[in-house]
Amino acid sequence: DCLSSRVFRGKFQMHTVSSKTAENGYPLVHTSSLKNNTVDFSNTYKVKNENSIVKGPAILFPRVGNFNKEKICILNSECEIVISDCIFAVKCKNLVEAECLKEAIYLHWDEFKSNYSGTGALYSSLDKINYFINYLYLYKHTQLKEIAA
């Protein structure tokens, strides 16, 4: 089984938000929008950034920071958003796969969190997270492998 690239790192830089707001843009999701396993759209900007759009269903979680399980969020099927460069997204076929992936991350929480390190703010790399997510699909979670097939 070869590893596929399942994980997408956001590219929107938060310090550029004032120059990229647009009435007809997409909601901008940052780590502060990830609350209680859902995406909170109440204080989001609308922005244009074509290379950072994520369409649900997907799982979203922080790239940076020391966070808990409540920051692992499912993006619903009908949603299209722009994610900041502080967020990773994993595109899923459907909400069943997204829920299953979230549960797999919970089951292997210590291994998941071991991908985050650094002085000051903890962070992870796209390579580390992509490897871990593929590891879940290939070896750890039979149900995930079946759903994604």
Side-chain angles (χ1 to χ4, degrees):
D1 262 321
C2 72
L3 294 181
S4 59
S5 185
R6 297 179 192 276
V7 184
F8 174 74
R9 177 186 168 183
K11 294 173 179 66
F12 191 93
Q13 297 179 328
M14 291 305 290
H15 68 270
T16 67
V17 75
S18 60
S19 65
K20 300 212 174 142
T21 56
E23 281 295 314
N24 61 344
Y26 299 95
L28 172 61
V29 174
H30 185 52
T31 50
S32 56
S33 309
L34 306 179
K35 297 176 182 169
N36 302 315
N37 301 113
T38 58
V39 180
D40 178 8
F41 291 103
S42 60
N43 290 312
T44 55
Y45 293 97
K46 292 237 180 185
V47 297
K48 283 285 194 189
N49 192 335
E50 298 305 317
N51 63 356
S52 202
I53 296 171
V54 173
K55 185 179 186 335
I59 291 277
L60 306 176
F61 52 89
R63 182 184 68 83
V64 177
N66 188 11
F67 57 92
N68 61 24
K69 292 178 181 177
E70 291 181 355
K71 291 280 190 183
I72 311 295
C73 299
I74 293 177
L75 181 68
N76 290 326
S77 303
E78 65 278 1
C79 291
E80 278 188 290
I81 61 170
V82 168
I83 58 173
S84 80
D85 60 358
C86 295
I87 293 183
F88 286 126
V90 182
K91 181 79 175 115
C92 299
K93 276 185 175 174
N94 51 46
L95 290 173
V96 174
E97 181 183 351
E99 193 61 50
C100 192
L101 176 57
K102 185 177 91 171
E103 292 304 316
I105 290 171
Y106 281 11
L107 278 172
H108 302 282
W109 186 251
D110 290 340
E111 288 173 83
F112 175 69
K113 289 291 284 194
S114 73
N115 289 290
Y116 289 77
S117 60
T119 52
L122 299 177
Y123 68 94
S124 191
S125 69
L126 182 59
D127 286 345
K128 280 184 185 176
I129 292 297
N130 198 47
Y131 184 85
F132 176 79
I133 296 296
N134 275 292
Y135 168 74
L136 290 181
Y137 274 88
L138 295 176
Y139 304 112
K140 284 293 190 181
H141 221 274
T142 311
Q143 190 180 2
L144 265 177
K145 189 188 274 188
E146 290 168 5
I147 292 169

